[in-house]
Amino acid sequence: MPDSWLGAREDSLRRIAALVAGGAASADVFAAMVREVGYVVGVSLVVVCRYDPDGATATVIGAWSEFPHPFQAGTRWPLDGPTLLFQVLNTGRPARIDDFARIPGTIADAGRKAGFGAAAGAPIIVDGEVWGAMMVNAGRGPVPDRMEERLVAFTELLATAISNTESRAALARLAEEQAALRRVATLVARGVAKEDVFAAVAEEVGRLLPVEYAGLSRYEPGGALSAVAGSGRALDHIPVGSRWTLGGRNVATVVFETGRPARIDSYADLSDPGAATAFREVGVRSAVGTPIVVDGRLWGVMIAGTTAEQPLPADTEARLASFTELLATAIANAESRAGLARLAEEQAALRQVATLVAGGARPEAVFAAVANEVARLLSAEVANVIRYESDDTVTLVASAGDVFPVGSRWRLAGQSNLATLVFETGRPARIDDYADAIGPLAEDMREEGIRSAVGTPIIVEGRLWGLITAGSSREQPLPPDTEARLGSFTELVATAIANTEARAEVGRLVDEQTALRRVATLVAREAPAKQVFAAIAGELASLLGVEATRLFRYEDDGTATVLADVGDRDARVPVGTQVALGGHNVATLIFETQRPARIDNYAEATGPVAALARELGFACFVGAPILVDGNLWGAIIAASRGLAALPADTEMRIEEFARLMATGISNVQTRAEVAASRARIVAASDEARRRVVRDLHDGAQQRLVHTIIVLKLVSRALQREDDSAPRLVAEALAHAKRANVELRDLAHGILPAVLTRGGLRAGVDALASRMPMPVDNHVAVGSLPDSVEATAYFVVAEALTNVAKHARAERAAVTARIEDGTLVVVVSDDGVGGARPDGSGLLGLADRLAVLGGRLRVETLPDGGTLVAAAIPLPD
């Protein structure tokens, strides 16, 4: 390196260093630097560039040349090829290009057109980062060797100048920023209205950055954005109160979707409506937005926009963040003060309503108070308390705002209305725009000018009872916390309803229990069934408040017989009337399902029972089955002429009477069965005695009379010494023997000796020996009590006799075993089956078993034959 060059470079560096040390402006340093470099190194062009924040472009901040060229100060160049600037940025080291001929990219094209063929450059490193580059060009000739290394001394001096300048600028900016923040913080600390804080922040941001627009916007429910403060030229196009729908690609939407700062460096290509259009109209090219987060929720966004060609600096987001933190504090403080005042007002309103509830006020008074307080607290044009009905309608039970009269009813129709939404979900719901709402209630709301509404469910002891609604005619929807504020009132309403229902329920329960006691007394006194049935029907009609109640007994021929009918004289059905079942009606439904049933509109019912009901003018029926010992016996049915459905608990209340009636019927049947059993036992005993007397008279008694007569003849013959005496003695002996045999047979019919000697197995063997078919004996029991053994024997005897007479069986079997202290005797056959348990023989066995606490079961087997089973408890 020649000494003359080194000397010239040192002189040049000293002059530039003097400028830097004297605190000269960066622009003056850059201008002096490019002149000195051009003079010292002897090149045609010297350019100093700064790399832009996007990393894809570079801006010329100083240039010197002896010839015209395109790289003027302020021009911006894309780094779209392997040019010198691209290489320096990516490597952070000096670089050179000896021939532009084959280098692609915008910068290379411009150099070739200006007649430059080669270039060299070195990076400007500021605080460890590649801040920019110095580039030299020697015209059409080559760049001297090691030229890029010679530039390093100049770029290092440039870096010092830039660092010093940026530090001074940063300190000045920081001081200005802190002063602005202190002014805003003072407003916040003084509790100034948040609207004034918003305006102050917008003014301070617009002055500090500086930008053509600085504004604050709040995110609204339903995906909307509204401007709350602003400053700058764009304010005419984006006035305070402006409202837009979020969506598309713009700063406000990006911040809303991500909750993080966002920037758009070019609004030119955006076609989104709203603020983006307003920005383009005033020439805003780029914008930066930072979120305003209040108590952990995204409240709004602060946006700064500029008309400058260059995007806003990279630190803009951080600088805005300092102000958004103060804004969040101001908003939180304002909301806290407003919240405390609102809470106090709310608590006062709730206390007023709670006093009514605690004092046992009627629900209507509580509903009216709630509607008035809700309308006042929320500044709503209308507040309603609405009850859901069982016929898919809603009834207005209280209202504030004079929009709808109390008692108004609407159908639950359409998917987009509050009543339907709350009914289907059981949760709070809102409609922010009634323009698209569907249904009768929604149509009436639109006609009254209501634009938005919120509703919360009234849950009474776990069931959806109704809802409280608040509606507004203002353009903005009701605040997001409206649902929560309504919730406090719905709890009080639910308590009032529950208290009222509880009092009514207690009264109803007392009436019910009194009625049930009266009927139970009749049952306990063994009153006639007709009197019990009439009493049950009368008590039930009075309790339910219906026009008629009827008791039916189901018959085997598919009909139902009326046993009691209480109600209007002109609508009674005579006791004893039989009506055919079938079709779709309550009596038939109970018969088919053995469960409670209801039909709320008999216009669609079918069958003879339904035709009779319509003829008598009834529209609604509810009934429950009467189950006696687990079997369907009949039904109790309540009828109403009203169009409204009977209450949901009607089935349960009818079932209480059905159970009591079943007990009465069971008692009556038990008494009748006991009396019939006793009569059968007495008749069987009398018949047994008559049979014994008849058998004795016709058999053994006659033989003994003949024996006595013959013995008298023998006595006379012996007195006369007649030769006939031996013959007569033989005849008397024969009569005596016959009498003895007949007496033995008679005793065998009562209880065979083989049973008393050999037990049940021997008795079954004896019976089997007289059967016309084989009988398998599987008796596996030992000694039994006499009464049990005799009863078991007669069960087997009667069953085998029936097999022999009726079954046409080829084989039979007898089994006896002891299970859990019970003797189980089973007689089965492979005959034709069809044995009836109500036959006289089997009925007699059932009676005999009942004396010992036993049971008789008779079945026809699926594959043919009959099974007779007896269970006899053994004494301890």
Side-chain angles (χ1 to χ4, degrees):
M1 184 178 298
D3 294 338
S4 59
W5 188 90
L6 289 175
R9 185 191 72 172
E10 292 304 321
D11 291 341
S12 178
L13 289 173
R14 276 195 298 272
R15 286 192 293 273
I16 296 171
L19 287 175
V20 173
S26 297
D28 295 336
V29 175
F30 296 154
M33 179 72 73
V34 292
R35 286 196 304 272
E36 293 288 349
V37 171
Y39 167 72
V40 171
V41 301
V43 292
S44 302
L45 174 67
V46 181
V47 176
V48 175
C49 294
R50 182 190 65 214
Y51 292 114
D52 295 326
D54 60 6
T57 58
T59 301
V60 177
I61 59 175
W64 172 87
S65 177
E66 296 176 344
F67 308 102
H69 64 88
F71 303 107
Q72 299 296 323
T75 58
R76 196 174 184 187
W77 298 88
L79 305 178
D80 56 357
T83 59
L84 190 66
L85 287 176
F86 181 84
Q87 293 180 40
V88 170
L89 175 63
N90 282 276
T91 64
R93 300 174 63 183
R96 66 186 292 129
I97 294 177
D98 291 326
D99 188 359
F100 281 0
R102 297 182 180 179
I103 301 297
T106 305
I107 296 175
D109 288 343
R112 282 193 294 271
K113 291 178 181 177
F116 302 128
I124 303 170
I125 308 295
V126 178
D127 297 331
E129 300 290 336
V130 179
W131 183 91
M134 177 180 285
M135 182 176 64
V136 298
N137 190 283
R140 297 188 181 277
V143 175
D145 291 341
R146 303 180 66 183
M147 176 58 71
E148 61 272 29
E149 297 175 7
R150 299 179 190 178
L151 296 177
V152 171
F154 291 96
T155 57
E156 288 176 353
L157 192 56
L158 264 180
T160 301
I162 294 166
S163 180
N164 291 345
T165 303
E166 289 188 348
S167 294
R168 289 193 300 271
L171 287 172
R173 188 184 69 184
L174 183 60
E176 191 176 4
E177 229 169 69
Q178 291 302 309
L181 289 169
R182 278 196 300 274
R183 287 191 291 272
V184 175
T186 300
L187 295 176
V188 174
R190 289 176 179 174
V192 173
K194 63 178 184 292
E195 291 77 9
D196 294 334
V197 176
F198 296 161
V201 167
E203 290 293 336
E204 296 286 1
V205 169
R207 183 174 57 80
L208 285 172
L209 286 182
V211 290
E212 283 69 31
Y213 174 76
L216 284 74
S217 296
R218 181 178 62 218
Y219 293 118
E220 305 288 0
L225 182 76
S226 62
V228 298
S231 69
R233 288 195 295 123
L235 193 58
D236 293 337
H237 295 266
I238 310 176
V240 173
S242 301
R243 187 179 174 88
W244 305 278
T245 300
L246 292 170
R249 183 172 173 266
N250 53 72
V251 166
T253 301
V254 175
V255 171
F256 179 77
E257 292 174 346
T258 64
R260 301 174 63 183
R263 67 164 51 226
I264 290 179
D265 288 337
S266 176
Y267 268 88
D269 300 330
L270 301 184
S271 59
D272 297 321
T277 301
F279 276 1
R280 284 193 298 273
E281 288 176 356
V282 295
V284 172
R285 295 187 177 186
S286 65
V288 170
T290 55
I292 303 170
V293 178
V294 180
D295 294 335
R297 74 181 191 278
L298 183 62
W299 184 92
V301 61
M302 176 184 285
I303 299 176
T306 180
T307 60
E309 185 176 350
Q310 295 181 359
L312 288 164
D315 62 348
T316 303
E317 289 90 334
R319 298 180 72 185
L320 287 178
S322 301
F323 288 92
T324 58
E325 291 173 5
L326 279 173
L327 278 173
T329 302
I331 294 165
N333 290 348
E335 289 183 349
S336 178
R337 290 191 298 271
L340 288 173
R342 190 184 69 185
L343 183 61
E345 190 177 7
E346 231 169 69
Q347 292 302 312
L350 289 170
R351 277 196 300 273
Q352 183 176 346
V353 177
T355 301
L356 291 174
V357 174
R362 294 180 58 81
E364 295 78 8
V366 176
F367 299 159
V370 165
N372 289 327
E373 294 295 343
V374 166
R376 182 177 61 82
L377 286 172
L378 299 179
S379 299
E381 280 74 15
V382 61
N384 298 324
V385 180
I386 298 173
R387 182 180 64 224
Y388 289 113
E389 307 292 355
S390 58
D391 59 353
D392 291 335
T393 62
V394 292
T395 301
L396 184 66
V397 297
S399 182
D402 297 326
V403 176
F404 304 114
V406 172
S408 301
R409 288 172 72 99
W410 296 274
R411 286 184 302 105
L412 274 177
Q415 297 298 314
S416 299
N417 63 77
L418 281 182
T420 303
L421 290 172
V422 173
F423 181 77
E424 291 178 346
T425 65
R427 300 174 63 183
R430 68 165 48 230
I431 293 179
D432 288 335
D433 186 357
Y434 261 95
D436 300 324
I438 301 171
L441 181 54
E443 293 172 3
D444 288 349
M445 295 284 271
R446 274 197 301 272
E447 289 180 4
E448 296 296 333
I450 302 301
R451 294 188 176 187
S452 66
V454 172
T456 56
I458 302 170
I459 307 294
V460 179
E461 296 183 348
R463 75 180 191 279
L464 181 62
W465 184 91
L467 73 158
I468 297 178
T469 68
S472 171
S473 60
R474 295 186 295 274
E475 184 177 352
Q476 293 184 352
L478 288 162
D481 63 346
T482 304
E483 290 89 335
R485 300 179 71 185
L486 286 179
S488 303
F489 288 94
T490 59
E491 292 172 5
L492 280 174
V493 170
T495 301
I497 296 166
N499 290 349
T500 303
E501 290 184 349
R503 291 193 293 269
E505 181 65 22
V506 169
R508 190 184 71 180
L509 186 60
V510 170
D511 293 342
E512 233 170 66
Q513 293 303 312
T514 303
L516 288 169
R517 275 197 301 273
R518 286 194 289 265
V519 175
T521 301
L522 289 176
V523 173
R525 291 177 179 173
E526 299 184 0
K530 184 176 181 180
Q531 185 180 351
V532 174
F533 296 161
I536 288 176
E539 296 286 2
L540 189 58
S542 176
L543 285 172
L544 297 180
V546 294
E547 287 81 4
T549 55
R550 295 195 182 98
L551 274 67
F552 290 95
R553 181 183 64 223
Y554 292 119
E555 309 294 352
D556 293 336
D557 60 355
T559 63
T561 301
V562 178
L563 301 181
D565 189 314
V566 174
D568 298 342
R569 285 186 178 277
D570 57 350
R572 289 184 184 173
V573 177
V575 173
T577 301
Q578 282 192 309
V579 183
L581 297 172
H584 181 67
N585 52 75
V586 168
T588 303
L589 288 173
I590 293 174
F591 178 76
E592 293 173 346
T593 65
Q594 299 190 22
R595 298 176 63 183
R598 71 161 54 221
I599 294 180
D600 293 332
N601 184 2
Y602 248 57
E604 300 174 358
T606 59
V609 178
L612 177 60
R614 283 195 294 270
E615 182 182 333
L616 297 175
F618 292 104
C620 174
F621 282 78
V622 178
I626 302 169
L627 301 174
V628 179
D629 297 331
N631 299 313
L632 181 65
W633 186 91
I636 304 179
I637 298 176
S640 171
R641 285 196 171 98
L643 296 178
L646 288 169
D649 63 347
T650 304
E651 290 92 330
M652 180 184 67
R653 301 179 71 186
I654 294 176
E655 282 185 292
E656 292 289 336
F657 285 87
R659 281 193 286 271
L660 187 58
M661 185 169 173
T663 301
I665 294 167
S666 181
N667 291 346
V668 170
Q669 287 185 344
T670 300
R671 293 197 299 270
E673 289 172 0
V674 170
S677 176
R678 289 172 178 170
R680 288 194 298 270
I681 291 173
V682 170
S685 299
D686 290 345
E687 175 60 26
R689 282 194 296 272
R690 285 194 294 271
R691 181 170 57 81
V692 170
V693 170
R694 185 174 60 252
D695 290 346
L696 285 172
H697 180 273
D698 294 343
Q701 184 179 355
Q702 293 297 322
R703 295 298 178 187
L704 291 174
V705 168
H706 288 164
T707 300
I708 292 170
I709 292 173
V710 172
L711 288 174
K712 285 182 179 180
L713 292 175
V714 169
S715 176
R716 292 175 186 172
L718 291 174
Q719 289 175 359
R720 293 194 305 268
E721 295 181 354
D722 190 341
D723 294 340
S724 62
R727 179 182 59 78
L728 291 172
V729 169
E731 184 179 347
L733 182 60
H735 280 299
K737 288 181 178 179
R738 291 291 302 275
N740 184 49
V741 170
E742 289 175 359
L743 284 172
R744 189 186 308 116
D745 289 343
L746 181 60
H748 178 274
I750 296 173
L751 196 64
V754 66
L755 179 66
T756 58
R757 291 195 302 270
L760 184 58
R761 183 176 179 82
V764 172
D765 280 337
L767 289 172
S769 66
R770 296 198 294 271
M771 290 296 105
M773 83 291 293
V775 177
D776 298 328
N777 187 348
H778 300 296
V779 175
V781 295
S783 177
L784 297 168
D786 292 345
S787 58
V788 173
E789 192 170 66
T791 301
Y793 174 81
F794 285 120
V795 168
V796 176
E798 178 65 26
L800 289 178
T801 300
N802 287 339
V803 172
K805 288 181 179 180
H806 310 296
R808 300 199 295 274
E810 296 181 359
R811 198 171 194 87
V814 179
T815 301
R817 62 186 181 278
I818 295 176
E819 296 179 356
D820 298 329
T822 300
L823 174 64
V824 179
V825 179
V826 179
V827 179
S828 59
D829 65 73
D830 59 0
V832 295
R836 291 175 57 86
D838 55 355
S840 59
L842 293 176
L843 271 179
L845 287 180
D847 293 338
R848 182 161 189 149
L849 286 166
V851 172
L852 298 178
R855 302 182 307 279
L856 183 70
R857 179 165 54 92
V858 180
E859 294 181 9
T860 297
L861 300 175
D863 53 351
T866 301
L867 181 145
V868 177
I872 310 170
L874 297 175
D876 294 338

